[in-house]
Amino acid sequence: MNKLTIVKAENLKAKPDSDHLGFGQYFTDHMLVMDYTEGKGWHDPSIVPYGPIALDPSAMVFHYGQEVFEGMKAYKTAEGQFSLFRPDMNLKRLNISCERMSIPQVDPELLLDGITQLVSLDKDWIPEGEDTSLYIRPFIIATEPCLGVRAAKQYKLLVILSPVGSYYPEGIHPVSIFVEDEYVRAVRGGTGMAKTSGNYASGIRAQEIAKLEGFSQVLWLDGVEKKYIEEVGSMNVFFKIGGEVITPELSGSILAGVTRDSVMTLLRSWGIQVIERKISVAELFEAAREGKLEEAFGTGTAAVISPIGTMKWGEEQIAVAGGQTGEISKKLYDSITGIQKGVLEDPFGWRNIIV
Amino acid sequence: MNKLTIVKAENLKAKPDSDHLGFGQYFTDHMLVMDYTEGKGWHDPSIVPYGPIALDPSAMVFHYGQEVFEGMKAYKTAEGQFSLFRPDMNLKRLNISCERMSIPQVDPELLLDGITQLVSLDKDWIPEGEDTSLYIRPFIIATEPCLGVRAAKQYKLLVILSPVGSYYPEGIHPVSIFVEDEYVRAVRGGTGMAKTSGNYASGIRAQEIAKLEGFSQVLWLDGVEKKYIEEVGSMNVFFKIGGEVITPELSGSILAGVTRDSVMTLLRSWGIQVIERKISVAELFEAAREGKLEEAFGTGTAAVISPIGTMKWGEEQIAVAGGQTGEISKKLYDSITGIQKGVLEDPFGWRNIIV
């Protein structure tokens, strides 16, 4: 990777109203781009004005889906600095995803430097309101113009930035979940542990059906036995049962979430036992019936903590924490966003000050 | 869908040497494009000069992989006419894929009319050599610029054309196959029955490993038990065992191939029994050990018939039909390509003369 070049936008865009950002609808003035050519490696990293990319219609990403992506966030801290949250974890995972999808890996330090320069250049786009941040989306697509089914020989990496509000229009309020037992998101031996577009494409149909029936998200079961809980929507999932917290173990079909890791670390630092193991939907509903299911929540970069208020499995519907945001869910949300925004101490060194 | 407009290319490209076409490396002078906007439906179909498409970097196809595609071929017949092969089957399947991927369906008659006009305009690109044809690739991508995980509200349909030779550099010679028991292509409840990019992306890693070990393709097993045979590479698969022909039943994770259907119809018309059922890799290797495995071959639009010469499962390697192209494999290849090229009678009405 040679030296980063910067071409600044001549006209800056008007910034959106920070009270109505939504998620991933607005994009900043610049983006980072870098190309890969077989034999040459990754080359010509540059920051350029945000704008359309031109691809041959036979570019392999359009046909065989070789793609990986990441999601991270930048924050303006209480002291007026700008920070990223655990970017090393995301860049490490990007390369794990690359390996699974046969995409050439990227030097994480050089990419982090590029992202840092990009965010610094567009720092006026980092919103300051509650629950807001600057979402960072690095992604790599196969660009070689060829219809043979094989790994491509040309790729393009891009990093785009989007000022965002809450992922869910409801904010941190509890969501309703539908246990999906027909459609499957991923299976052991598949691509579930990689952050790649196909995993999300496969989930859209089930999500649409759940929405039509009045639910916010689906709870995914494993693809083999359709018994064990994997993820909720595009998040990892946690359950507090009888005082201890359980999250599905990383089986190969579950994404190793950065927020998942942060949640486990925080809970353990508070003296709460966290167990990574298989948990069946039957066990979960049994615990609910016995009054032992105290809280349930999804975790992810976009939503941070998303409390689950109700869950429906077949004909049975249960309320969790009385349909309210549970105590642990709230404390985790406040702690993580507090560390991110520099309002709280950062005991684990997660805050990465960039400007 | 309103009236098709045509903008002809001002400069026509030089045509490639028809002896060295490869697969999907050259593209013709024009392409068909059509856009979808929520509330407006599919609109503005047009044939335009072949060239790059410009998309916002946040176009949803780059992130969440909402995409479907098809593969069909056009041929120059012995009488100098131009024909398609069973295009109705491909367009029906395109809409089945659309449904699974939450992409708005397309009027098959209007799309066929557009494809016919496109192929007619670029008919000088249809190669005439043995094993050559004009490959037709319709595909639909989600173009809405947004990072929310949901079905997009804007799409683009394109049809591009590529003069092709044999899919495999070996031509119709037998290939060597590796039985894949770690990676999984698709699972029941997933997207295996849809022709969507994610299914192909998930297979690339296993295919690369197989190539490194000297094999042409992998034989995919089911994602649940990793016992039953599903597909070979990106083709359906058939086995002739003890005089009868067996192909895996359409379980939900297997693509309903047009060539698969044509092969079953031809075999039955020749008085050969064809059974669609589950077949385990253990049963297959047992039959091979007993000398009952007479032939094995993949079927698909790209390769038509791809005989399997050897198969390796764990430490055991077997030769099929003495490593040669079997009698039925050869007869099927000659029959299908003969019907396609108008050299043979067309008893089932598969040839669709367009010009």
Side-chain angles (χ1 to χ4, degrees):
Chain A
M1 189 151 102
N2 21 26
K3 202 175 154 4
L4 181 77
T5 62
I6 300 179
V7 180
K8 288 193 187 173
E10 292 192 5
N11 299 301
L12 302 185
K13 293 184 271 193
K15 294 183 182 57
D17 174 1
S18 70
D19 288 339
H20 300 91
L21 291 172
F23 188 87
Q25 297 186 50
Y26 301 98
F27 298 93
T28 68
D29 290 312
H30 299 90
M31 61 185 185
L32 176 67
V33 296
M34 180 164 65
D35 289 303
Y36 177 92
T37 312
E38 194 182 53
K40 196 172 171 184
W42 286 106
H43 59 88
D44 295 318
S46 56
I47 289 174
V48 297
Y50 184 93
I53 50 173
L55 292 175
D56 195 276
S58 67
M60 288 167 85
V61 65
F62 295 137
H63 305 274
Y64 309 125
Q66 250 190 310
E67 193 266 1
V68 293
F69 71 94
E70 269 304 327
M72 348 173 13
K73 283 178 173 174
Y75 309 86
K76 186 164 181 182
T77 70
E79 293 87 40
Q81 293 175 305
F82 300 96
S83 73
L84 301 178
F85 184 73
R86 309 188 75 184
D88 51 315
M89 294 279 283
N90 292 95
L91 299 180
K92 192 172 157 193
R93 188 174 63 185
L94 180 70
N95 277 336
I96 292 171
S97 298
C98 282
E99 187 182 14
R100 177 62 185 88
M101 306 313 294
S102 297
I103 291 176
Q105 298 189 18
V106 180
D107 180 330
E109 282 184 35
L110 289 170
L111 180 54
L112 180 56
D113 176 64
I115 290 173
T116 299
Q117 294 200 46
L118 177 65
V119 172
S120 301
L121 183 61
D122 281 348
K123 65 179 186 294
D124 292 347
W125 283 86
I126 304 182
E128 297 188 35
E130 199 178 352
D131 296 334
T132 65
S133 57
L134 186 70
Y135 185 79
I136 304 169
R137 169 57 58 89
F139 63 106
I140 302 176
I141 53 177
T143 53
E144 183 188 350
C146 178
L147 297 183
V149 181
R150 55 165 172 75
K153 294 170 183 172
Q154 296 165 30
Y155 299 86
K156 187 179 279 291
L157 176 151
L158 294 103
V159 182
I160 57 177
L161 308 177
S162 174
V164 300
S166 259
Y167 186 77
Y168 294 107
E170 309 93 319
I172 170 114
H173 298 296
V175 296
S176 58
I177 299 293
F178 175 84
V179 179
E180 176 59 53
D181 51 14
E182 181 188 351
Y183 292 109
V184 167
R185 170 192 166 270
V187 69
R188 144 204 88 177
T191 57
M193 43 61 73
K195 208 162 173 70
T196 183
S197 57
N199 295 338
Y200 296 78
S202 73
I204 289 174
R205 180 95 182 111
Q207 189 187 315
E208 283 204 319
I209 294 168
K211 280 241 194 285
L212 283 176
E213 299 191 5
F215 297 90
S216 289
Q217 289 290 336
V218 301
L219 190 74
W220 295 109
L221 303 182
D222 76 285
V224 174
E225 299 185 65
K226 295 193 182 178
K227 264 171 69 175
Y228 297 102
I229 294 166
E230 296 223 318
E231 299 191 3
V232 59
S234 50
M235 294 180 287
N236 295 119
V237 66
F238 287 77
F239 305 101
K240 183 155 175 272
I241 298 178
E244 76 187 16
V245 174
I246 301 165
T247 191
E249 64 190 8
L250 299 178
S251 57
S253 51
I254 294 174
L255 196 71
V258 177
T259 312
R260 177 182 183 275
D261 185 85
S262 306
V263 160
M264 291 196 295
T265 303
L266 282 171
L267 289 172
R268 285 170 181 154
S269 77
W270 299 338
I272 296 171
Q273 189 163 19
V274 187
I275 303 168
E276 295 176 79
R277 66 164 168 91
K278 280 191 178 187
I279 176 166
S280 71
V281 63
E283 178 188 344
L284 181 71
F285 271 64
E286 182 60 28
R289 277 180 227 118
E290 293 173 355
K292 289 185 191 160
L293 175 61
E294 297 153 15
E295 296 189 37
F297 53 92
T299 68
T301 295
V304 189
I305 301 291
S306 179
I308 296 172
T310 63
M311 276 190 281
K312 189 174 183 195
W313 179 38
E315 293 306 306
E316 188 174 2
Q317 183 146 354
I318 56 173
V320 187
Q324 304 298 308
T325 297
E327 185 189 342
I328 289 290
S329 307
K330 183 75 171 65
K331 189 173 173 192
L332 284 166
Y333 182 84
D334 290 343
S335 300
I336 294 175
T337 56
I339 293 171
Q340 288 169 336
K341 296 227 164 186
V343 176
L344 296 179
E345 285 298 303
D346 178 25
F348 308 105
W350 290 341
R351 206 158 53 219
N352 192 299
I353 302 295
I354 56 172
V355 189
Chain B
M1 191 151 104
N2 22 26
K3 203 175 155 4
L4 181 77
T5 61
I6 300 178
V7 180
K8 289 191 187 174
E10 290 191 7
N11 299 301
L12 302 185
K13 294 185 269 195
K15 292 181 183 60
D17 175 0
S18 69
D19 288 338
H20 300 91
L21 292 172
F23 188 88
Q25 298 186 49
Y26 301 98
F27 298 92
T28 69
D29 290 311
H30 299 89
M31 62 186 186
L32 176 67
V33 296
M34 180 164 67
D35 289 305
Y36 177 92
T37 312
E38 194 183 52
K40 197 172 170 185
W42 286 107
H43 58 88
D44 294 319
S46 56
I47 289 173
V48 297
Y50 184 93
I53 52 173
L55 293 175
D56 195 275
S58 67
M60 289 168 84
V61 66
F62 295 135
H63 305 274
Y64 309 124
Q66 251 191 310
E67 192 264 4
V68 294
F69 73 93
E70 269 303 327
M72 335 164 32
K73 284 178 172 174
Y75 308 86
K76 185 164 180 183
T77 69
E79 294 88 39
Q81 293 175 305
F82 300 97
S83 73
L84 301 177
F85 184 73
R86 310 188 74 184
D88 51 316
M89 294 278 284
N90 292 94
L91 299 180
K92 193 174 158 190
R93 188 174 64 186
L94 180 70
N95 277 336
I96 291 171
S97 299
C98 282
E99 187 182 14
R100 177 64 185 87
M101 306 312 296
S102 298
I103 292 176
Q105 299 191 17
V106 180
D107 181 329
E109 282 184 34
L110 289 171
L111 179 54
L112 181 55
D113 176 62
I115 290 172
T116 300
Q117 293 199 47
L118 177 64
V119 172
S120 301
L121 184 61
D122 280 348
K123 65 180 185 293
D124 292 346
W125 283 86
I126 305 182
E128 296 188 33
E130 199 178 351
D131 295 332
T132 66
S133 58
L134 186 71
Y135 186 78
I136 303 169
R137 169 58 58 90
F139 63 106
I140 302 175
I141 53 177
T143 53
E144 184 187 349
C146 178
L147 296 183
V149 180
R150 56 164 173 75
K153 295 171 181 172
Q154 295 164 31
Y155 300 86
K156 188 180 279 289
L157 176 150
L158 295 102
V159 182
I160 58 177
L161 308 177
S162 174
V164 299
S166 260
Y167 186 77
Y168 294 108
E170 309 94 320
I172 172 125
H173 298 295
V175 295
S176 58
I177 298 294
F178 176 82
V179 179
E180 176 59 52
D181 50 17
E182 181 186 351
Y183 293 109
V184 166
R185 170 192 167 271
V187 69
R188 143 204 88 175
T191 56
M193 43 62 72
K195 208 163 172 71
T196 182
S197 57
N199 295 337
Y200 296 79
S202 72
I204 288 175
R205 181 95 181 112
Q207 189 187 314
E208 282 204 319
I209 294 169
K211 281 240 195 285
L212 283 176
E213 299 193 4
F215 298 89
S216 289
Q217 289 291 336
V218 301
L219 190 73
W220 295 109
L221 302 182
D222 75 284
V224 174
E225 300 185 66
K226 294 194 182 177
K227 264 171 69 175
Y228 297 102
I229 295 166
E230 297 223 319
E231 298 192 3
V232 59
S234 50
M235 296 179 289
N236 295 118
V237 66
F238 288 76
F239 304 102
K240 184 156 174 272
I241 298 177
E244 75 188 15
V245 174
I246 300 165
T247 192
E249 64 191 6
L250 299 178
S251 57
S253 51
I254 294 173
L255 195 72
V258 177
T259 311
R260 178 182 182 274
D261 184 85
S262 306
V263 160
M264 291 196 295
T265 303
L266 281 171
L267 288 172
R268 284 170 180 154
S269 77
W270 299 338
I272 296 171
Q273 190 163 19
V274 187
I275 303 168
E276 294 176 80
R277 68 164 168 88
K278 281 190 178 187
I279 176 167
S280 71
V281 63
E283 178 188 345
L284 182 71
F285 272 65
E286 182 60 28
R289 278 180 225 120
E290 292 173 355
K292 288 184 190 162
L293 175 60
E294 297 153 15
E295 297 189 36
F297 53 92
T299 68
T301 294
V304 188
I305 301 292
S306 179
I308 296 172
T310 63
M311 276 189 284
K312 189 174 184 196
W313 178 38
E315 293 305 306
E316 186 176 4
Q317 184 147 355
I318 56 173
V320 186
Q324 305 297 308
T325 298
E327 186 190 341
I328 289 290
S329 306
K330 183 76 171 66
K331 189 174 172 190
L332 283 166
Y333 182 83
D334 291 342
S335 300
I336 293 175
T337 56
I339 293 172
Q340 288 169 335
K341 296 228 164 186
V343 176
L344 296 178
E345 286 298 303
D346 178 23
F348 308 105
W350 289 343
R351 206 157 53 220
N352 191 300
I353 302 296
I354 55 170
V355 190

